[in-house]
Amino acid sequence: MKKLFELLLPALLLIACYSPEPFEAESVESASSGKSDIGTVFPVNTQKQICNPSVSQDTANYPAAMLWLNFGGTLKVTPPDSGFTTSGVIQHDRLTISDTSGKVLWYMMRDTSAGECQFQDPEWSTHADYAVALRAYDLDGKKACENLDYGIFAVRMSDSKRFWFYDKDIIETASPHLWVSPDASVDESAADSTVEGFFGTDKVRLTYVDGDDKIVFVDFANGGLDKAKTLARPSGKSGWSIDAPMISPDGNFIVYNVLENPTTWEAYIQELSANSSPVKIERGQNSLSEPAQPHWFAFGGRLFVMWTEFPQGSQMLNKNDLTQESVQDGSVGRTVMREVRLNAGAPSDLAVEWVGDVREIASIPMIGGRSPDGRFLATGTNYGYLLELP
């Protein structure tokens, strides 16, 4: 398994910016926001690499914004205070939420006094006030941060407090996601060292990928970490790596990719149950590729799965300036969605029911999800962008 993981790691590096080498454009002019038929494209951290884009799930406190992970060098944002430096940046040393103007609305720096080396895989949870991420520390206690181990934590946006699910023994490519009941309400007098105290409910679910390349599902209302379950892998995909399981708004299903190599992948829906079977998201007749980076999108009582498609033979990344109309014709990829109905507990052939056809949202590739109000899409692998839909 270790050998297979090492062979497949380059595919994952391209998606989530695990590689220590920054992207360097051959020749790209400085980008500014561009309005066209697809909407308005706003550069995030203009012409500088970002990782792990996650569109804002809080349209009240962080509208028109996204959560992202910095790379290194210099950042092109407007800092909110003296604690957020923009030069001499260390790779993955902060989590940042910024808006369409480049203003930083929220951030979290690594705690060097606690031996923290970097963050990885941040993702907004299904609840507006929480995000989840990995934290690395050096096993040898060296400042060089060369021998890393990872843990999974949740952060509460409203006060920047953290809750640790695991403080060690997690792989760098775990891609955690977090579901918190939408009815959760924090009691400020409660002990935030417990799940119920920190989240205001025990109805909390966590998914991540373990070292055996299986999806782990933890239900804190039913046994928590002691009764974590691993889900069945898609059949016939031995050696394919699992990427980014995302929990549905009702907390009962996930969508995710499996990758054979940087240009070959498939997407699946699966119920969060030890006995569930993966259901392949079929490639449409007019699709550019198999679905990439699937996300959930709920609106007006309806549920959709959205995903990105790339030209045949392309990787899951963007090297283009998406503000330029010349690449807004689908030639570098597109973003689509399709309505779905889910039936938890049903046989696999009834668990997932598609409604209608695949519809194009944008003729550019956006891998970071859609905001709850439906107005914004986010993306970022080499360059980051927010798209305000018309």
Side-chain angles (χ1 to χ4, degrees):
M1 177 59 70
K2 182 178 179 181
K3 183 177 180 180
L4 284 172
F5 181 76
E6 289 173 348
L7 288 172
L8 292 170
L9 187 59
L12 294 171
L13 300 186
L14 292 171
I15 299 167
C17 299
Y18 300 104
S19 169
E21 296 299 324
F23 166 72
E24 293 184 5
E26 294 179 1
S27 178
V28 180
E29 296 180 359
S30 180
S32 58
S33 61
K35 188 172 184 179
S36 65
D37 291 341
I38 68 168
T40 305
V41 182
F42 299 91
V44 175
N45 196 38
T46 308
Q47 295 303 300
K48 295 291 183 179
Q49 186 171 357
I50 73 162
C51 306
N52 302 99
S54 183
V55 76
S56 173
Q57 296 301 303
D58 188 341
T59 56
N61 295 305
Y62 308 109
M66 67 185 242
L67 169 68
W68 50 278
L69 183 62
N70 69 295
F71 208 82
T74 303
L75 297 178
K76 289 190 176 181
V77 292
T78 302
D81 54 48
S82 59
F84 190 102
T85 56
T86 57
S87 61
V89 173
I90 305 301
Q91 180 189 354
H92 296 179
D93 69 355
R94 71 198 68 195
L95 307 178
T96 301
I97 297 173
S98 63
D99 63 14
T100 54
S101 69
K103 181 181 178 181
V104 173
L105 307 179
W106 180 95
Y107 69 93
M108 171 172 282
M109 306 289 287
R110 64 180 181 140
D111 185 352
T112 55
S113 65
E116 292 185 343
C117 295
Q118 62 172 246
F119 296 121
Q120 191 63 270
D121 287 343
E123 190 72 50
W124 220 299
S125 81
T126 59
H127 191 290
D129 197 28
Y130 297 96
V132 65
L134 302 179
R135 182 283 320 261
Y137 71 97
D138 195 316
L139 287 169
D140 299 328
K142 297 178 180 178
K143 293 182 179 180
C145 289
E146 295 175 347
N147 186 15
L148 301 181
D149 191 14
Y150 290 80
I152 301 175
F153 72 93
V155 57
R156 195 163 56 201
M157 306 286 196
S158 54
D159 59 11
S160 296
K161 288 187 177 181
R162 300 193 213 179
F163 180 87
W164 289 94
F165 298 112
Y166 302 91
D167 59 7
K168 60 181 180 179
D169 298 333
I170 298 296
I171 62 171
E172 182 183 10
T173 53
S175 301
H177 194 229
L178 181 65
W179 177 86
V180 180
S181 171
D183 299 327
S185 179
V186 176
D187 179 356
E188 294 183 357
S189 64
D192 56 19
S193 59
T194 66
V195 168
E196 192 162 5
F198 187 81
F199 295 99
T201 180
D202 65 354
K203 295 178 181 178
V204 176
R205 296 183 167 193
L206 174 71
T207 59
Y208 65 94
V209 181
D210 68 9
D212 292 326
D213 211 17
K214 294 181 179 179
I215 296 173
V216 177
F217 162 50
V218 184
D219 184 353
F220 290 93
N222 291 284
L225 300 178
D226 292 336
K227 294 188 176 181
K229 299 177 175 64
T230 55
L231 305 186
R233 289 174 52 90
S235 61
K237 297 295 179 285
S238 176
W240 291 46
S241 55
I242 292 179
D243 180 54
M246 301 284 291
I247 307 175
S248 61
D250 66 2
N252 292 322
F253 287 79
I254 51 173
V255 288
Y256 59 94
N257 274 128
V258 293
L259 301 93
E260 183 179 29
N261 57 55
T263 61
T264 305
W265 59 79
E266 293 179 352
Y268 290 83
I269 297 179
Q270 189 166 358
E271 187 175 355
L272 288 174
S273 167
N275 301 316
S276 65
S277 298
V279 177
K280 188 176 185 292
I281 303 176
E282 296 295 340
R283 176 176 177 171
Q285 184 176 358
N286 299 316
S287 297
L288 299 176
S289 70
E290 295 284 347
Q293 298 293 290
H295 283 67
W296 302 99
F297 172 59
F299 190 82
R302 302 163 69 186
L303 181 65
F304 301 85
V305 178
M306 57 176 292
W307 63 82
T308 308
E309 297 174 355
F310 295 91
Q312 193 66 36
S314 297
Q315 300 175 359
M316 288 186 195
L317 52 78
N318 170 61
K319 296 182 179 180
N320 300 278
D321 179 357
L322 297 182
T323 65
Q324 301 299 309
E325 290 190 45
S326 60
V327 299
Q328 295 177 0
D329 58 358
S331 59
V332 299
R334 68 173 189 160
T335 310
V336 303
M337 70 179 189
R338 190 178 184 187
E339 189 171 0
V340 66
R341 296 192 185 113
L342 304 176
N343 300 294
S348 59
D349 64 326
L350 300 175
V352 179
E353 179 186 1
W354 293 105
V355 181
D357 298 323
V358 173
R359 66 173 78 173
E360 183 176 286
I361 310 170
S363 54
I364 53 176
M366 307 293 288
I367 68 169
R370 188 170 186 174
S371 60
D373 57 12
R375 293 180 57 205
F376 290 91
L377 303 176
T379 198
T381 45
N382 294 333
Y383 295 138
Y385 297 92
L386 279 162
L387 170 62
E388 183 175 14
L389 295 167

